[in-house]
Amino acid sequence: MKIVFALAISFLSAHMAWSAPIAFDFKDPKGVNNAVFKLDALLESINGTASGISGTVLFDPSSPGDLTGKIIVAASSLNVANAMMKEHLLSDKWLDATKYPEITFSLEKAGNVKISGNEITVDVTGGMTIKGIKKSITTPVKITYLKDKLKARLPQLEGDLLVIRVNFKLKRSDFNINPGQSEDKVSNEIDISLSLAGQAPRTK
Amino acid sequence: MKYSHKIFYGLGSAIALLTLTFWFFGGMHLGWTHSNETRMEIDPVTSLEYPVIEKKFTPGVDFLTVGLLAVGLFSIVGYVLKRKIGPQ
């Protein structure tokens, strides 16, 4: 009886350890994580990037649909090619980066999981918060789970990598970003692409 | 004072030449002036594209417009001065 009990306990703990979600940290020491945004505008489109990305995502390789977490973009890290345009973008009329220093996306629910090799596509529903306004969005997310690949990026660490790619559109009017103003000069729609790599170091 | 209008005409011509030369050799960019340039690179492990931002001044049409407006202003001042002095 004792042996059966011990076996059951060890099986359960092994199963739990195997299927437990892994926490991936998205503060990338390599500085690769980025968001690219594009707005159509007069004369030329406004193409910008943001690199101040952090956050944590919980991912279970045995159950990719259980995806939760939060990605944070530092509003002050947004950059466009024109210095005056950047000043306007961070000003109180547009993003008000002083009052709202963070743009966040919280991953709340995932579904419609499709797996092809180590690539997974899931439809993620989450809350996008910009300028203090939270809106629910659903978007397809491409995930690549790179087991034991952390060492290839950071040789002093063992662990896994989680690569996330997302493309979606937002309306600036939904987030009170200069709503209804200058739409003949700068489009209301913003194209956003996120390219992120999270790391989960393992203790030896 | 007699030749002050010529100084303004000369300055206007110099600004026009400098503006056009700078814009021409800056790539004749028809968009806004850029103070930095973003180059995309690929991370070899994750295959993610990421931006590398470099400081690079690229004069655009706003630069050209400001330069040519300055030329216009100098020319107007030169013309006014010439009229004040009268025919030589």
Side-chain angles (χ1 to χ4, degrees), chain A residues 32 34 44 81-82 85 165, chain B residues 32-35 46 49-50 61:
Chain A
V32 164
N34 71 87
E44 67 176 327
N82 182 284
M85 224 177 254
R165 292 179 178 90
Chain B
W32 301 107
T33 295
H34 293 179
S35 52
T46 59
E49 261 204 338
Y50 65 99
V61 288

Side-chain angles (χ1 to χ4, degrees), chain A residues 116-152:
Chain A
S116 169
N118 65 347
E119 281 192 1
I120 304 148
T121 311
V122 286
D123 289 343
V124 168
T125 302
M128 173 65 87
T129 308
I130 304 173
K131 225 178 164 184
I133 297 168
K134 189 176 178 180
K135 295 269 177 193
S136 181
I137 62 163
T138 301
T139 181
V141 174
K142 197 171 149 191
I143 298 166
T144 312
Y145 174 56
L146 300 171
K147 192 171 167 55
D148 300 323
K149 283 282 184 186
L150 180 57
K151 203 178 174 67

